[in-house]
Each structure stands twice: as structure tokens, then as C-alpha cells.
Amino acid sequence: MSTRDLPANHADLMDGVYRWQRHIYDLTRKYYLLGRDRLIAGLDIPANGSVLELGCGTGRNLVLTAQRYPNARLYGLDISAEMLVTAQAAITREGIAGRTRLARADATDFDAQALFDVARFDRVFVSYSLSMIPGWEKTVAAGLAVLTPGGSLHVVDFGQQERLPGWFRSLLRTWLRKFHVTPRDSLREVLESESAKAGASLSFERLYRGYAWLAVARR
Ligand SMILES: C[S@@+](CC[C@H](N)C(=O)[O-])C[C@H]1O[C@@H](n2cnc3c(N)ncnc32)[C@H](O)[C@@H]1O
């Protein structure tokens, strides 16, 4: 994995956040990163299709995607070398290394051809990563740009908790700040405008009273 062109400060920050967290990440996050399994169920990857996760973390989603879509070819990138160590171990343990490739890269600016020898993917997804990526709007555009014709970009992330009590929203925001997570209030607008530019149609769903947002942009 090349570290060329990585924004060093952010890469170091993410490695610092996840150096120890990665060992308890899957266990703890299953209670509050809601909607991830729904995203995976909705991927509907075509036979022998390809799927790329931007900000793949521990590889939890790639493993579940591989189980659900046994012929899919899987790709994942993340800026954190620490997270990728855990992801690679999970992928090897699950016996899916033969059809999975990982790379260290910045999701706002990556060259899929150079990283994976693949320029376009049938499905691209971003799960609870846009809220941690500075310049996340560029990740939306980059995800759309690497879709095959007929492909789709799937996003799940924190919503604005717009139909939940104010105290819950404040508590959640305070908690998330400790992990450098910022729910993106303009997520829907950015997805709409980037989808329009890419000629994709957007569907948008509010989950659990706005706790999370789930969107699909289809080209
Ligand atoms: C909250 S975790 C989500 C991991 C996984 N997608 C999931 O659903 O469990 C956010 C991930 O985004 C990665 N990340 C943050 N900024 C990034 C960037 N600029 N490029 C690529 N990955 C990034 C972090 O290293 C971390 O693994």
C-alpha cells in the first residue's frame, strides 16, 4: 500500500483514533452505527459484479457483503493503516482474500485504476465515513465518478436526528465529537447536487427518526 499523496495529518489522526479502538470497534459500533446491514441488503450486486467501499474500516461491511453476494469481487480503501491491518486479518480469516483487495488511500482523491487495476465498479458504498472525512463532498463526487453505467452509490451515515428529542441530539453530538465525527447537515443537498451532475437519480431515506440517513444514487 503506497502512502503517496495521503494528507499526513488526517492519516495520522485516524491512525491515532483507531490504533486501540480497532480491537473493540466491531463489538461497540454495532449498537450505534445503525443502517449498515440495510445498506448491504440493498446493494443488489449483479452476478460477478464489483463493489468498492470507501472508508472500509475493520472490513466488517466487506465481510458481510461477501457472505451475502458470494460471487462479488470486493474492494476497500481506507486512510488508516491501523484499520487496514484489522480488515486484512478479517478478510483472511473469512476466506475471502482471493476476491478481496484493500488499499490505503484518501477517499477524497484516489486513483482506482492504480490502486486496484480496476477503473469502474458496479456498486460503491460509504458507511459512516463521510462524517469523518474532511472535504467529504469530494468523496461523494469521486464515488459517483467510478461507477459503471447502471451502477449505484450507497451512503449511510448519521442524520440530523431531526425527529428525536433535542437532548438526545446534543448528547449524541457531544459523544461523536470525541471520535472526530461530525454528522453532515448538508449531506442530502450535496448528494442531490452531485447526483444531478453525474446524471444519477437519488433516493433518500430517513432511518430511526433521523438518527441515520440512507441514500442511493443510481446512474
Ligand atoms: C466510523 S469508521 C467506518 C468504518 C466502516 N465503514 C463501518 O461502517 O464500520 C470511518 C472510517 O473512515 C476512515 N477514513 C476517515 N477519513 C478517511 C479518508 N479521507 N479516506 C479514507 N478513509 C477515511 C477511517 O480511517 C475509518 O476507518
Side-chain angles (χ1 to χ4, degrees), residues 94-219:
E94 292 297 321
I96 57 166
R99 60 187 174 111
T100 308
R101 290 188 62 187
L102 299 176
R104 189 177 189 201
D106 178 3
T108 65
D109 179 19
F110 61 92
D111 179 346
Q113 180 69 48
L115 293 171
F116 302 118
D117 247 348
V118 176
R120 299 272 181 273
F121 304 85
D122 297 299
R123 302 289 181 265
V124 175
F125 68 95
V126 200
S127 162
Y128 285 96
S129 293
L130 293 178
S131 51
M132 288 191 91
I133 299 178
W136 58 275
E137 299 89 340
K138 285 185 263 167
T139 298
V140 173
L144 285 163
V146 295
L147 286 177
T148 55
S152 50
L153 170 70
H154 303 242
V155 172
V156 68
D157 215 311
F158 292 103
Q160 293 296 299
Q161 300 82 46
E162 58 274 23
R163 294 183 182 168
L164 288 162
W167 62 262
F168 178 83
R169 183 177 199 264
S170 310
L171 263 181
L172 181 67
R173 298 293 172 121
T174 307
W175 167 253
L176 294 176
R177 264 196 298 277
K178 293 186 197 302
F179 297 97
H180 307 276
V181 174
T182 310
R184 306 302 187 188
D185 56 1
S186 60
L187 180 59
R188 184 175 188 160
E189 288 73 22
V190 170
L191 285 167
E192 279 170 353
S193 65
E194 292 301 331
S195 297
K197 279 190 227 163
S201 63
L202 186 75
S203 68
F204 185 90
E205 233 184 308
R206 188 180 276 125
L207 306 181
Y208 315 110
R209 302 169 69 84
Y211 179 90
W213 288 347
L214 176 66
V216 182
R218 291 194 169 77
R219 288 193 73 172

Side-chain angles (χ1 to χ4, degrees), residues 10 18 25 36 53 55 57 61 78-80 105-107 127-129:
H10 185 59
Y18 290 117
Y25 181 94
R36 293 182 297 173
E53 180 173 10
N61 297 328
D78 202 286
I79 204 163
S80 165
D106 178 3
S127 162
Y128 285 96
S129 293

